[in-house]
Amino acid sequence: MKIPDKSVFEQQNVFGIGAENTAYARYFIGNSYLNPLTKPEDGLFLANVTFEPGCRNNWHIHHAESGGGQMLICTAGEGWYQEAGKPAVSLTPGTVIVIPANVKHWHGAKADSWFSHIAIEVPGEGCENKWCEPVTDDEYKQL
């Protein structure tokens, strides 16, 4: 369900918006928010990431020598996920996306809805994230 109103969205977003995601703001178009659900030292890092309408992250790759990658569990609102060279996938609450290591992709909110997902960093060897170019307005408007 699309949720354009922030106060309505906050009632649906059971994991909470958290703090403004200033540490990674340069890799996002629009405002995003981060609510860590575990600590990295717990062995598996999970965070609820919230995107305002139209917000999306840059293309990026979760590199790993073995294992690694990312999982997204959509929890509120509506968003998009896209792998390079493939059509975008519509995201709604309950959608689970498994992103293998070394796959270039992006994710974010639809233009007319707030959106949240739990991001899970899949453990692996030699893991590192590489941020790439932004998703252009033209690419995004075609969705």
Side-chain angles (χ1 to χ4, degrees):
M1 171 172 71
K2 291 182 182 176
I3 308 173
D5 182 83
K6 185 177 181 182
S7 62
V8 173
F9 176 78
E10 288 178 319
Q11 294 170 7
Q12 300 283 324
N13 186 14
V14 297
F15 292 100
I17 286 180
E20 192 169 342
N21 189 8
T22 56
Y24 292 93
R26 66 186 176 274
Y27 304 117
F28 285 73
I29 293 173
N31 294 315
S32 67
Y33 303 84
L34 187 64
N35 187 18
L37 303 176
T38 62
K39 296 176 264 178
E41 59 268 22
D42 291 337
L44 184 65
F45 184 66
L46 290 88
N48 191 52
V49 183
T50 298
F51 303 78
E52 70 180 1
C55 177
R56 68 259 187 200
N57 54 31
N58 288 6
W59 289 97
H60 58 287
I61 305 167
H62 300 276
H63 287 291
E65 295 168 15
S66 66
Q70 185 180 42
M71 293 179 68
L72 307 176
I73 302 172
C74 306
T75 58
E78 290 194 19
W80 293 109
Y81 166 77
Q82 186 173 23
E83 291 182 8
K86 295 185 179 179
V89 175
S90 179
L91 304 176
T92 58
T95 304
V96 176
I97 299 290
V98 177
I99 308 162
N102 307 309
V103 171
K104 187 175 182 181
H105 66 282
W106 70 271
H107 33 102
K110 290 190 176 174
D112 55 356
S113 182
W114 284 81
F115 175 65
S116 281
H117 63 56
I118 295 174
I120 303 164
E121 294 178 10
V122 178
E125 298 295 322
C127 294
E128 71 173 307
N129 193 34
K130 178 185 176 189
W131 290 99
C132 305
E133 70 278 6
V135 176
T136 67
D137 288 343
D138 286 340
E139 289 173 306
Y140 186 76
K141 288 176 184 174
Q142 290 179 18
L143 300 175

